[in-house]
Amino acid sequence: MMKSVLIANRGEIACRVVKTARRLGIRTVAVYSDADAEALHVRMADEAVHIGPAPTRESYLVGEKIIAAAKQTGAEAIHPGYGFLSENAEFAQAVMDAGLIWVGPLPKSITAMGLKDAAKKLMAEAGVPVTPGYMGDNQDPAFLKSEADKIGYPVLIKAVAGGGGKGMRLVEKADDFLDALTSCQREAAASFGNDHVLIEKYILSPRHIEVQVFGDSHGNVVHLFERDCSMQRRHQKVVEEAPAPGMDEATRNELCAAAVRAAKAVDYRGAGTIEFIADGSEGLRADRIWFMEMNTRLQVEHPVTEEITGVDLVEWQLRVASGEPLPKRQDELSITGWAMEVRLYAEDPTKGFLPSIGKLDVFDYPDHLVRVDTGVEEGAEISPHYDPMIAKLIVHADTREEAIADLRYALDDGECGPLITNAGFLHRLLGDEQFAAGTVDTGLIGRKLDELTARPDPSIEGLQAAAATLIGRSGQGPWAAAGGLRLNAGPRRTMRLSDQHGRDYPVELAGLSNTAPQRQAVLNEGGERFVLRPWRAVGGADGGVGSGSILAPMPGKVIAVEVVAGDTVTKGQKLLTLEAMKMEHTLTAPFDGVVEEVNCTAGDQVQVEALLVKIDTE
């Protein structure tokens, strides 16, 4: 077994690797950027090395700095985590050429599966079923459109070097193809340095099912069963579970056997995931499940596999990289119970899931019930430089129904703030009747987005409790005597509360609390966090829809401006595209009107609430 390992990553996955390495007696080395100097993974590791400024291209994506840090600290191995350089074959080779242990697959395996078009051809040759599509070298837009026309809409445009939901566009009709292609290629070039795309048939009732595989240097390959990741928003996973709902044993055996064949075809070593797309319109059937791609690394959702198998996948990674055989044979692996995971993000679902940046003052979830994998703690900053994931919340129970109930309870009982999070959205999604029944597909969230993202009002009981807390035992304050006379009735004591989102609630007082008056009351219900205060009239400064002022929702870079002053626009028309938190955000016209001002150009860096465009009514 290796004695030391450098973790070439940050946040949750870096902390995750540190925990297992520490248990195995392996010394850990962290790397960090300027923005992460006080980060949890830095403090957890035995040693840490600064590798540059906050932008990833100047720190976490610079392989030379990471290898130099390993040599400087005497680390024997480098664990890449996921994202960043984890699927970079050149970096993997450079690590090995430097005489270090690469905790991952062979560079040739990464290369073979790194480009989606080549990977699909290889899988077809290995007898693994693949979806219909075009995977050739001709990237002429007119030619690609003609291929999409032949395949039949809807189609999916995918960057061959893509991943994590980036470089992917769904096109439902021919007229939209060329615009979607341009946007996809631009995002792919910015994220991966490669704008080459493939086109594949989009399955109308799709389910995303993946199989965890593991290989060693002794020729052994096993699978650790499947996960269902069908709950997605814009191709990014929201809920992951294992096993897959509705999966019978015969279909599971065929699917997992195909995954093992795929891994063996590329001499795979270490942890990997074979991703499949299934047509769930008639239930799960082996002849309606096709290979999509392989992720040659550990997946974000790996904890659900760990929970149902009792295996520590990071430990297996470290052992296999040290030259040991797989700790278990296939016949020693089995499924126990049901596991489910949600990703808790600092983002506002009511505003298109825009990231919520700032300090995390409160972070408390019931760890007796839920496994919390995180890279932050109370007092940490959610930075605009990186992905805004706060934590992964994972539960393991005897049945799927119990897993859902436990996870909803954890979201309801936990508290995270003052940043806005997606906890309420997750709570409502887990409570959805279709999800609860297991009749899931990748379009479920999109179809129900309005109801899932609509923030509910607090309950009457919750508001009354908050009001009592604000008044306290003494009943002091100008609102304490708010009331009036009613014919044939006694005085009615009411007060008006406001929350942090600017919404008002009249409350009939039910009683007083046993505490002194408070300036604010925090109410947690259904995953939502309401900060309630006595109402007071305030003016808005956010340039809302009525004003026609289009403000930057977060710090970012303007990458495209579609209008100029004097243009006539219609409601919903694209005005500009802002790149922030590694994603593109489209800002649109709130109503029909005329562009009065354009205060930015492509390439500008803008701050939150900067006035970008102003529209006047016609």
Side-chain angles (χ1 to χ4, degrees), residues 204-255:
L204 289 175
S205 298
R207 288 181 60 178
H208 181 121
I209 298 175
E210 57 191 37
V211 177
Q212 178 73 60
V213 293
F214 226 106
D216 62 23
S217 57
H218 303 276
N220 303 306
V221 178
V222 300
H223 67 79
L224 291 94
F225 311 102
E226 82 280 357
R227 301 184 285 256
D228 192 304
C229 306
S230 299
M231 288 297 94
Q232 300 181 10
R233 187 188 69 83
R234 295 171 67 179
H235 307 296
Q236 291 193 311
K237 299 165 186 174
V238 177
V239 180
E240 299 106 349
E241 58 184 309
M247 178 72 74
D248 61 56
E249 199 61 30
T251 303
R252 173 176 292 121
N253 290 339
E254 288 196 47
L255 180 68

Side-chain angles (χ1 to χ4, degrees), residues 569-575 586-592:
V569 295
T570 58
K571 181 178 179 180
Q573 181 176 332
K574 183 191 295 186
L575 302 176
T586 298
L587 304 186
T588 60
F591 48 69
D592 296 347

Side-chain angles (χ1 to χ4, degrees), residues 15 73 203 223 442 468 479 490 525:
C15 294
T73 57
I203 310 303
H223 67 79
T442 59
W479 53 87
E525 286 187 337

Side-chain angles (χ1 to χ4, degrees), residues 223-534:
H223 67 79
L224 291 94
F225 311 102
E226 82 280 357
R227 301 184 285 256
D228 192 304
C229 306
S230 299
M231 288 297 94
Q232 300 181 10
R233 187 188 69 83
R234 295 171 67 179
H235 307 296
Q236 291 193 311
K237 299 165 186 174
V238 177
V239 180
E240 299 106 349
E241 58 184 309
M247 178 72 74
D248 61 56
E249 199 61 30
T251 303
R252 173 176 292 121
N253 290 339
E254 288 196 47
L255 180 68
C256 292
V260 170
R261 288 199 302 273
K264 288 183 175 180
V266 292
D267 188 21
Y268 200 77
R269 303 178 189 179
T273 300
I274 312 296
E275 299 195 345
F276 295 89
I277 187 167
D279 181 349
S281 59
E282 299 178 14
L284 292 178
R285 288 172 28 191
D287 62 348
R288 299 174 75 91
I289 302 177
W290 303 278
F291 171 85
M292 282 199 302
E293 61 185 354
M294 181 178 190
N295 286 305
T296 52
R297 54 173 167 81
L298 196 65
Q299 291 278 87
V300 177
E301 58 272 21
H302 75 272
V304 294
T305 295
E306 293 183 323
E307 293 297 322
I308 64 166
T309 60
V311 166
D312 184 331
L313 292 176
V314 173
E315 177 180 345
W316 277 34
Q317 284 186 299
L318 297 172
R319 291 191 180 282
V320 166
S322 298
E324 297 182 16
L326 292 175
K328 289 188 176 183
R329 303 186 310 270
Q330 189 67 67
D331 60 5
E332 296 176 307
L333 293 164
S334 60
I335 295 173
T336 301
W338 208 284
M340 195 169 289
E341 170 184 298
V342 293
R343 306 185 189 191
L344 182 69
Y345 272 88
E347 61 186 11
D348 189 348
T350 68
K351 295 183 178 179
F353 295 88
L354 292 177
S356 176
I357 299 165
K359 191 175 181 182
L360 191 64
D361 290 335
V362 180
F363 181 47
D364 183 22
Y365 281 85
D367 55 11
H368 67 282
L369 180 66
V370 62
R371 168 178 164 180
V372 181
D373 282 15
T374 184
V376 299
E377 58 186 350
E378 288 187 356
E381 288 281 339
I382 302 299
S383 165
H385 300 292
Y386 310 115
D387 185 275
M389 187 172 78
I390 297 171
K392 300 183 305 194
L393 307 179
I394 309 108
V395 296
H396 182 229
D398 291 337
T399 67
R400 186 171 189 268
E401 292 74 20
E402 291 176 307
I404 292 173
D406 287 349
L407 201 45
R408 293 191 84 207
Y409 177 84
L411 288 165
D412 201 24
D413 192 55
E415 186 176 6
C416 187
L419 302 177
I420 298 172
T421 75
N422 65 338
F425 163 78
L426 295 171
H427 190 275
R428 291 187 287 279
L429 176 59
L430 293 170
D432 177 79
E433 289 184 4
Q434 189 175 344
F435 176 79
T439 52
V440 297
D441 65 76
T442 59
L444 187 149
I445 290 177
R447 292 192 301 272
K448 300 188 175 187
L449 193 61
D450 288 346
E451 60 187 90
L452 291 173
T453 57
R455 184 179 290 115
D457 290 337
S459 67
I460 293 174
E461 295 78 11
L463 287 169
Q464 289 176 332
T469 298
L470 291 168
I471 294 173
R473 180 184 295 276
S474 64
Q476 297 172 352
W479 53 87
L485 294 175
R486 293 177 292 165
L487 290 176
N488 304 315
R492 182 179 182 180
R493 302 182 67 241
T494 64
M495 67 183 296
R496 191 174 174 189
L497 304 182
S498 295
D499 67 16
Q500 74 272 37
H501 308 296
R503 299 193 299 179
D504 302 336
Y505 311 98
V507 185
E508 185 169 351
L509 301 181
L512 301 178
S513 73
N514 293 320
T515 61
Q518 303 295 315
R519 297 183 62 182
Q520 68 177 36
V522 177
L523 175 63
N524 294 291
E525 286 187 337
E528 298 287 354
R529 185 175 193 264
F530 299 96
V531 180
L532 297 159
R533 298 180 178 87

